[in-house]
Amino acid sequence: MAHLEISDLITAVEPRTGRRLPVRRAEVIQQLLASGDGRAARIVSRLPVDRDDVLDPQAVDTLLISVHTELQRLSEELRIGERLVHVLDPLFTAIRATTPGTGPYRLVDVGCGLGYLVRRLAATHALGPDVELVGVDLDAALVGEADRLARAEGLGCRFVHGNAFDLPEAATVYVSTGVLHHFRGPALADFFHAQAASPALAFCHFDIAATGLAPIGAWVFHHARMRHPLGRHDGVVSARRAHSDATLLRAAATPGIRPLLYEPRGSVNPFCTTLRPVIGVRPHLEAPLRQALGRSARRLVGPEHLAEATA
């Protein structure tokens, strides 16, 4: 049966405009029960509704902001920001080397949530003054909170409510963390095709490594760190929904893009829910990227590596 995350079901928006749509609690519960997840159905049954059984949007927004605040703490503990810079800094070095004098460059965080990574990059100036930082999300409440936090912290970044691929300004690099597993079937390939069809030079998407013990590690970590049952539930389901290395590389292999995986499954600790990125670059960028990575370039593999490993 399908593994469903509660947070995917309790909000709904029109994909192109981001306009919020009503969600009926009974329909969400029915979906969860049909998937065999009675525990998730009980969590949703406790969420407030109006007289038409529509989930209270304000209560849902408050809950999701709370859960994402806890996710920000997890990102800090897992040092996701530093791991992102470890890959992005060489990537922008390669871009500058191959397109000198064409900056400023623009990094767009797809599904940014509360914008922790964009805000961290802005606070640390890790990518340099020629990189504009933009976070985009279809959830207006999360984007609003991200913008509020950035202004309170006096940071040079911005947040947009909408579709990351419909921005008026072209992205140079698309990034995300914990987003890929939300795309299932053809939607995953469509996600990568949208970036290949854009003027972007590269993408770098971090998600959970699909190891056999990842759900166990996720259960331990989220039960120790997350307060709300929704956060605990969705954290474990995320690990169960993680895409395999081969699935990611196949989906990312779109025309005009060289797909690469950093730290493939065989090199990660199977006792942890480890995030690692799938990277896509325009072919002319692969060699300068490997040069900029230095010794770390040996952790970077393409589809042919997986073919050899399974031969």
Side-chain angles (χ1 to χ4, degrees):
M1 292 187 177
H3 298 294
L4 303 177
E5 293 181 53
I6 299 170
S7 56
D8 286 345
L9 303 178
I10 60 176
T11 62
V13 297
E14 203 284 318
R16 305 305 297 181
T17 66
R19 182 176 65 87
R20 190 165 193 155
L21 303 173
V23 177
R24 286 182 167 77
R25 183 173 64 181
E27 294 175 0
V28 175
I29 292 173
Q30 183 178 13
Q31 284 182 272
L32 292 168
L33 290 175
S35 72
D37 197 341
R39 176 172 173 266
R42 289 191 294 275
I43 293 172
V44 173
S45 71
R46 295 192 287 269
L47 299 180
V49 294
D50 64 17
R51 285 181 292 182
D52 294 322
D53 193 47
V54 172
L55 288 169
D56 180 350
Q58 184 173 355
V60 169
D61 289 345
T62 300
L63 172 58
L64 291 181
I65 288 173
S66 174
V67 169
H68 276 261
T69 300
E70 293 187 327
L71 287 173
Q72 172 175 310
R73 187 176 69 248
L74 294 186
S75 293
E76 292 170 343
E77 293 179 359
L78 292 172
R79 303 175 68 184
I80 300 301
E82 294 172 42
R83 297 178 66 188
L84 190 70
V85 171
H86 176 71
V87 177
L88 286 181
D89 186 45
L91 181 54
F92 275 102
T93 296
I95 289 172
R96 293 185 185 99
T98 55
T99 57
T102 60
Y105 306 102
R106 183 172 293 107
L107 179 141
V108 173
D109 185 359
V110 184
C112 67
L114 293 184
Y116 163 67
L117 290 171
V118 167
R119 289 187 287 112
R120 189 184 189 283
L121 291 172
T124 58
H125 308 286
L127 299 180
D130 60 347
V131 178
E132 180 187 355
L133 303 169
V134 183
V136 186
D137 204 293
L138 285 170
D139 190 302
L142 295 179
V143 167
E145 181 66 5
D147 184 67
R148 185 191 70 80
L149 291 169
R151 284 187 284 106
E153 296 161 358
L155 299 176
C157 55
R158 63 188 178 94
F159 295 93
V160 179
H161 172 225
N163 189 315
F165 305 129
D166 287 340
L167 297 179
E169 315 96 339
T172 308
V173 177
Y174 286 104
V175 300
S176 72
T177 55
V179 168
L180 292 182
H181 66 270
H182 291 278
F183 294 96
R184 316 308 298 176
L188 181 63
D190 292 343
F191 176 75
F192 289 116
H193 274 284
Q195 294 164 81
S198 77
L201 297 177
F203 56 73
C204 176
H205 299 293
F206 276 76
D207 211 350
I208 304 163
T211 63
L213 292 176
I216 299 174
W219 187 92
V220 171
F221 204 71
H222 284 80
H223 275 253
R225 292 291 186 266
M226 303 291 280
R227 297 180 181 88
H228 196 278
L230 184 150
R232 294 176 174 178
H233 172 275
D234 282 7
V236 176
V237 173
S238 295
R240 290 176 175 159
R241 300 177 77 193
H243 296 296
S244 69
D245 292 353
T247 295
L248 289 175
L249 285 174
R250 280 196 303 268
T254 58
I257 289 292
R258 165 65 168 162
L260 300 162
L261 195 69
Y262 193 76
E263 295 184 330
R265 174 178 170 175
S267 67
V268 301
N269 183 347
F271 291 94
C272 300
T273 307
T274 306
L275 276 74
R276 48 83 178 98
V278 58
I279 300 167
V281 296
R282 301 299 177 183
H284 71 276
L285 280 172
E286 181 178 0
L289 172 60
R290 290 184 178 275
Q291 182 177 3
L293 279 168
R295 290 174 59 87
S296 295
R298 58 190 173 183
R299 305 182 192 175
L300 201 62
V301 302
E304 64 281 354
H305 172 86
L306 296 184
E308 292 171 1
T310 58

